[in-house]
Amino acid sequence: MVTQRSVTPSGDLPEGDKTSKIKMYYVYFLASEKNKDLYVGSTENVITRLNRHNYGKVKSTKGYKPWKLLGYEKYTTRGEAVKQEKFFKTGQQKEKLKQKYGLVAKW
């Protein structure tokens, strides 16, 4: 099962449901506010992961902070999330995401 969400300016972030016994996994999309680069990742907690990116705790992204959450998709298994993350990281899909979130010039 996949639920696709874009983040609204009001800060519509996925909150962990403390009462639910079902663990959810997320594929998230970030934009560097420094150079407008797109980053795709997967996690169990989007808010914690975003904070790690912005505090420079992720080696591959620390030189491009701050990061802004553009959107995320929710999955019921880690395997689904990782598979989708890899799919989004392919060149063609990453370009489609950049267009969707306005990170490339539209000719």
Side-chain angles (χ1 to χ4, degrees), residues 49-106:
R49 190 66 176 155
L50 176 60
N51 287 335
R52 288 184 55 77
H53 285 286
N54 282 325
Y55 290 132
K57 302 292 185 185
V58 180
K59 186 177 181 181
S60 62
T61 63
K62 74 181 196 175
Y64 306 100
K65 62 185 182 159
W67 292 89
K68 176 182 170 185
L69 182 64
L70 299 173
Y72 62 90
E73 293 185 359
K74 186 167 37 171
Y75 298 89
T76 54
T77 69
R78 181 186 310 261
E80 287 178 297
V82 170
K83 181 178 177 181
Q84 211 48 34
E85 174 191 5
K86 289 179 181 176
F87 173 71
F88 284 128
K89 286 183 173 180
T90 62
Q92 185 178 21
Q93 292 305 314
K94 201 162 187 180
E95 287 304 313
K96 285 183 181 180
L97 286 171
K98 285 179 179 181
Q99 288 177 353
K100 176 180 178 178
Y101 292 113
L103 299 175
V104 293
K106 295 177 183 170

Side-chain angles (χ1 to χ4, degrees), residues 20-33:
S20 176
K21 294 187 189 292
I22 299 173
K23 191 175 267 193
M24 298 304 296
Y25 302 91
Y26 302 89
V27 174
Y28 60 93
F29 313 107
L30 304 178
S32 167
E33 293 185 14

